[in-house]
Amino acid sequence: MTEEFNQFEHALTIAENNLLNVSPRPSVGAVIFKDDKVLGEGVTDKSPGNHAEINALEQCKNSSKSIKNATLFTTLEPCFHKGQTGPCVDKIIESGITKIVVGEIDPNPKVNGKSIKKLLKNNIEVVHVSNPDQMQRSKDLIEPFKHFINSGMPYVTSKIAISLDGKIATKNGDSKWISSEQSRKIVQNMRSLSDAIIIGSNTLHIDKPSLDAKDIIQQPKYKVVLNSIPKDPKRFETLKSKSIVLVYCKKAPKKLEIWDGIEFIEVSTKKGRLNLIEVLKDLGQRGCVNILVEGGGQLTGSLIDLNLINKMRLFISPMLIGGVNSAHSVGGEGIEFISQSKKLSNLKVTRIETDIMVTGIIKKHV
């Protein structure tokens, strides 16, 4: 394998393994390499900390080798504009780096190829990574960020633990535990890397979840419940933690003092159900880029009906639950014809203990 492949793989790996939720930034990995040696590496900090390239440059100060004529491998085009940090592109030009291997162009209109042009004008060679797998992984890293920049809407991932016959609970509502212990650990990590977690009122009532990322310091910023007419404050006790609890409803309660700081947001209804587009737009305005849906089949199905779910992650357990009245994994209105069905692309299938984890991006139709 070429050195370009190896060092870009290094940059991808540190970006993919970033344990911090750096939203609304995407996770970026950067490696500075010269004469068969890594001089520095960096990953994106939480705002207002450094971008990956600056962290890599800072680490180079500990090297005895000069950075002049080194190569920078970065999974995303360096930033061009001044936000909470200065433009990374200027620091790179000043550093003496003479070549950059980049994974993806930044979709932010404030950047979007401008840094590439500036680097070229300053006689810095810029090449795009050529390996197809590495190109795809670079795209995957920024997919939620790109969706948010282009639409103003959060990137929505639906997590479902199901039996082989597509059930998420028994006829009595029991769902603990369908998935394996290792699968549940993966879900805790998904929670910690999400800006918000959404459930419906039925899930709150039946499961009494905490929605915490267990055994992880970093927690989701928001826990969101969709509840048309909130009536009982005690139902929300299990959610209270460091996360902010948001309740989207048709009508907010009058005696807010008994709800102990829960924030209520009124949204319109359609056919008696809360307007899910309004909910997601509001979360987007609050800076939520990554959202995890852990609601029941009705909420999941309604979001799918409206093309509001971007990614699915299914944990399929080798068990049969059965029962006409057992909870189904996907509800909503559904479709009339197979030609209208949603299919998953970029499919990844992984064995997790006894479970099968299926991850894919939802396409609108066949």
Side-chain angles (χ1 to χ4, degrees):
M1 293 184 182
T2 66
E3 203 56 66
E4 177 183 312
F5 178 92
N6 291 335
Q7 297 310 319
F8 200 84
E9 188 71 17
H10 187 173
L12 280 168
T13 299
I14 59 177
E16 291 167 344
N17 292 334
N18 191 354
L19 298 177
L20 291 175
N21 178 2
V22 295
S23 181
R25 298 169 169 179
S27 181
V28 176
V31 173
I32 297 173
F33 186 80
K34 179 184 175 182
D35 297 335
D36 298 324
K37 184 178 179 182
V38 173
L39 305 184
E41 62 181 61
V43 70
T44 312
D45 287 337
K46 291 183 71 170
S47 183
N50 291 333
H51 288 183
E53 298 90 341
I54 302 303
N55 281 330
L57 287 168
E58 287 292 319
Q59 200 177 95
C60 287
K61 294 177 181 179
N62 300 324
S63 173
S64 59
K65 280 183 175 268
S66 167
I67 195 174
K68 190 175 181 181
N69 297 323
T71 298
L72 168 65
F73 298 85
T74 180
T75 58
L76 181 66
E77 176 185 10
C79 73
F80 182 84
H81 62 298
K82 182 174 181 178
Q84 291 179 309
T85 62
C88 294
V89 67
D90 293 342
K91 295 290 185 182
I92 294 166
I93 292 168
E94 293 167 9
S95 72
I97 286 171
T98 53
K99 181 179 179 180
I100 294 183
V101 180
V102 66
E104 266 292 287
I105 301 297
D106 192 328
N108 189 336
K110 294 179 180 179
V111 186
N112 200 230
K114 294 176 184 176
S115 289
I116 302 292
K117 291 179 182 178
K118 189 168 187 177
L119 290 164
L120 291 170
K121 283 182 180 179
N122 282 273
N123 299 314
I124 295 175
E125 181 185 0
V126 181
V127 298
H128 293 268
V129 67
S130 57
N131 179 270
D133 177 67
Q134 292 180 335
M135 290 172 62
Q136 185 59 53
R137 286 161 64 194
S138 297
K139 289 179 181 179
D140 291 344
L141 278 168
I142 69 162
E143 190 58 36
F145 173 70
K146 184 177 181 180
H147 175 78
F148 180 75
I149 286 290
N150 290 337
S151 68
M153 297 278 277
Y155 188 86
V156 181
T157 299
S158 174
K159 181 277 306 181
I160 314 176
I162 62 173
S163 62
L164 283 175
D165 52 349
K167 307 291 186 178
I168 59 173
T170 69
K171 60 184 179 183
N172 296 324
D174 181 35
S175 60
K176 293 183 175 56
W177 295 102
I178 290 178
S179 57
S180 69
E181 183 178 355
Q182 191 59 39
S183 293
R184 298 198 297 274
K185 286 182 179 179
I186 292 172
V187 173
Q188 303 312 313
N189 189 56
M190 291 173 67
R191 286 179 177 179
S192 79
L193 295 175
S194 299
D195 299 311
I197 302 173
I198 301 181
I199 60 171
S201 56
N202 284 340
T203 297
L204 178 68
H205 176 61
I206 296 169
D207 292 347
K208 300 177 177 60
S210 71
L211 302 184
D212 289 333
K214 295 177 179 63
D215 301 320
I216 301 176
I217 294 175
Q218 181 173 253
Q219 297 292 318
K221 185 175 182 181
Y222 298 108
K223 296 176 181 178
V224 178
V225 180
L226 307 183
N227 191 179
S228 294
I229 305 177
K231 295 179 180 179
D232 186 0
K234 292 181 180 178
R235 284 191 178 183
F236 295 80
E237 289 296 323
T238 57
L239 297 179
K240 292 180 179 177
S241 64
K242 293 181 180 179
S243 304
I244 299 168
V245 179
L246 303 178
V247 179
Y248 290 88
C249 56
K250 179 180 178 181
K251 186 74 174 175
K254 292 183 178 179
K255 296 181 180 180
L256 294 179
E257 63 275 8
I258 68 173
W259 291 85
D260 192 24
I262 293 174
E263 184 177 348
F264 295 91
I265 303 98
E266 293 182 356
V267 295
S268 65
T269 59
K270 189 174 182 179
K271 296 182 179 179
R273 297 189 178 278
L274 297 179
N275 188 321
L276 297 176
I277 295 176
E278 282 186 26
V279 171
L280 292 183
K281 282 184 176 179
D282 183 77
L283 288 169
Q285 290 168 0
R286 293 170 186 264
C288 293
V289 174
N290 290 286
I291 287 181
L292 180 62
V293 174
E294 292 200 46
Q298 185 58 44
L299 173 58
T300 301
S302 296
L303 288 165
I304 290 174
D305 287 340
L306 294 169
N307 294 316
L308 295 177
I309 290 182
N310 304 96
K311 185 176 182 178
M312 298 287 295
R313 177 161 287 174
L314 305 172
F315 295 91
I316 306 170
S317 176
M319 64 172 69
L320 298 170
I321 292 176
V324 175
N325 296 318
S326 299
H328 296 282
S329 56
V330 178
E333 293 185 8
I335 59 172
E336 294 181 3
F337 306 102
I338 294 298
S339 60
Q340 300 170 324
S341 67
K342 279 79 173 176
K343 293 194 77 173
L344 298 185
S345 62
N346 294 13
L347 204 64
K348 295 179 182 177
V349 180
T350 311
R351 179 80 175 264
I352 309 293
E353 293 186 324
T354 57
D355 296 343
I356 300 296
M357 183 175 75
V358 179
T359 305
I361 309 300
I362 288 192
K363 297 172 70 174
K364 290 187 179 180
H365 54 76
V366 174

